[in-house]
Amino acid sequence: MGLTLALVVAASASSVSAAPNPKDLPEPPALANGEFASFDVLGGGSDKGAWAVGLQGGWPWFGARFQVGLAHNWTPIVDLDTALGRRWQPSVGIGKRILDHPRGRLSAELLLGWQIQTGDLAQRGPSGVFRLRLLGLVGRVNPWLMVGGRHTLLFDRTRTITADDTTTKWSARYRWSPHFAGGVVIGITKHVGIDIGIDWHFVDVQATAVSLPGIHLGVQFGGGR
Amino acid sequence: MTVASWPARVAALALLAAQTGCINEDYVFYVTDITVDVDAPGDGPITVVFHHAWQGEGVTGHPLGPIEEVTFDALPATHTLSYPQHAGEGLVLYAWQDDDGDGVLCAPGVDDEASGVTEVEGFPAHQLDAFVTLDALCRGAEGLYP
């Protein structure tokens, strides 16, 4: 009796530990093919004809983003970030899913725009940002990660007034601000979702330095499918 | 009425955009040749420090603010000053005499080096004259102005 029971348990265990055939895996719930607007916003890249809007608020970063899919997942993006209304970063660019898998996606984005910072440390100048977005696809609640860097040129003017004339010289300073963000995104429906995440931006004050991390809550919606 | 051509309009628009949207630090240096003379009791070299009369705005505003320091072995002498107009207003000239040649104004046991200050009249101008009477002993600029 004891031997029979041991054999049954062993057989059950071997059947549980056996690697499943990938063909037997259940189909992910129509995620990787870009049917959820919220996943398009956080993971980057939209299918042709699909559009999505993302809005986020928190401390210190607020943001708005619009994207629409073209052929081959090329995705034009309009993006606006602001840190408490003191720094504004409007950008326009393009993104593309460069890795598309049933369990995740990786996308790259390149945007060009402007940086406007008000206050005592005012900054104005053209800027560009490159981002990589990674999204895991495990269900309606998925982890996402974003890594990026913003490069900004700040132009200074120096005028020298002599008795004979006035000369003007221009010079440029360069700023680099890497940033990271990550969190979870929840696809409530195909057209509406929310996310919560942390934002960690480095600041460039003549040296790239760590800043306090922030947190945000976002809402996404879209359509076109 | 003259209508500007489209290249001129584009150039004007670009200039406006550059001035309003691109400039971060806007430095303005006003170059002036200033002839300095002093009435000093001794015969040592004279150190002259050019100051703004006022720097800053609001609660952070304060009198004085050094621009440049020059030491003269003999006076009168003319110095070319690049005055940073973006950093303050007015021009004040502070001078002291280094009787013992140690490079510092007074010291323990040395309490008779003379100093003085004057606000340069006629500034801004590209040619200026400034005269300072060194009639105080061991006083810094902050102790003499305003």
Side-chain angles (χ1 to χ4, degrees):
Chain A
M1 177 67 181
L3 179 61
T4 305
L5 181 59
L7 289 173
V8 169
V9 169
S12 302
S14 68
S15 66
V16 168
S17 62
N21 188 331
K23 293 181 179 176
D24 297 335
L25 281 175
E27 184 70 16
L31 305 176
N33 54 7
E35 290 195 6
F36 277 62
S38 54
F39 301 165
D40 285 351
V41 172
L42 276 303
S46 295
D47 283 344
K48 184 179 180 181
W51 61 271
V53 172
L55 303 171
Q56 76 168 61
W59 186 91
W61 288 96
F62 291 75
R65 170 187 172 98
F66 172 76
Q67 64 186 60
V68 60
L70 303 179
H72 307 295
N73 300 131
W74 286 102
T75 306
I77 300 165
V78 179
D79 192 301
L80 174 65
D81 294 328
T82 177
L84 299 176
R86 285 297 188 95
R87 173 180 288 193
W88 295 84
Q89 298 174 162
S91 303
V92 177
I94 192 94
K96 180 174 173 55
R97 294 211 298 261
I98 54 178
L99 182 63
D100 216 347
H101 186 272
R103 293 303 186 195
R105 75 167 73 160
L106 176 68
S107 66
E109 298 173 354
L110 178 65
L111 297 95
L112 299 176
W114 214 260
Q115 176 175 298
I116 306 109
Q117 180 168 308
T118 59
D120 291 337
L121 300 175
Q123 296 180 359
R124 292 176 288 269
S127 71
V129 60
F130 179 75
R131 299 185 188 122
L132 289 173
R133 291 183 176 275
L134 182 64
L135 175 72
L137 291 168
V138 294
R140 285 185 181 267
V141 181
N142 297 303
W144 63 272
L145 179 70
M146 187 269 287
V147 178
R150 179 172 290 273
H151 305 262
T152 306
L153 283 177
L154 303 174
F155 295 100
D156 299 326
R157 182 175 64 179
T158 301
R159 284 177 289 169
T160 303
I161 304 169
T162 68
D164 299 325
D165 61 2
T166 299
T167 59
T168 302
K169 291 183 178 178
W170 290 85
S171 58
R173 289 174 285 144
Y174 169 69
R175 292 281 185 269
W176 178 54
S177 299
H179 54 269
F180 305 92
V184 293
V185 55
I186 304 169
I188 299 172
T189 70
K190 289 183 177 180
H191 301 292
V192 178
I194 60 173
D195 84 285
I196 185 169
I198 60 168
D199 307 298
W200 196 21
H201 285 241
F202 287 61
V203 294
D204 194 337
V205 283
Q206 299 179 342
T208 301
V210 178
S211 66
L212 290 174
I215 189 168
H216 76 257
L217 179 66
V219 59
Q220 304 84 35
F221 55 92
R225 297 178 172 85
Chain B
M1 179 179 172
T2 303
V3 179
S5 63
W6 70 265
R9 290 181 181 181
V10 170
L13 190 62
L15 182 63
L16 179 65
Q19 290 184 337
T20 57
C22 278
I23 299 171
N24 289 274
E25 301 296 340
D26 195 9
Y27 303 111
V28 181
F29 292 95
Y30 187 92
V31 179
T32 180
D33 292 325
I34 182 166
T35 300
V36 179
D37 198 3
V38 299
D39 178 10
D43 56 3
I46 303 293
T47 296
V48 174
V49 185
F50 299 95
H51 284 265
H52 283 113
W54 188 263
Q55 280 188 348
E57 297 177 354
V59 295
T60 61
H62 58 86
L64 298 178
I67 300 169
E68 186 180 359
E69 179 177 310
V70 186
T71 298
F72 299 100
D73 289 326
L75 290 176
T78 300
H79 177 71
T80 300
L81 175 70
S82 290
Y83 175 87
Q85 277 189 335
H86 54 275
E89 57 190 61
L91 179 59
V92 167
L93 195 153
Y94 166 74
W96 62 275
Q97 188 163 41
D98 190 8
D99 281 330
D100 60 1
D102 65 350
V104 295
L105 173 64
C106 298
V110 180
D111 57 5
D112 57 353
E113 291 182 325
S115 61
V117 71
T118 188
E119 183 160 1
V120 179
E121 295 183 2
F123 182 82
H126 293 291
Q127 298 282 342
L128 288 170
D129 294 312
F131 185 84
V132 191
T133 300
L134 308 188
D135 53 3
L137 296 179
C138 299
R139 301 287 297 276
E142 295 80 2
L144 297 171
Y145 183 88

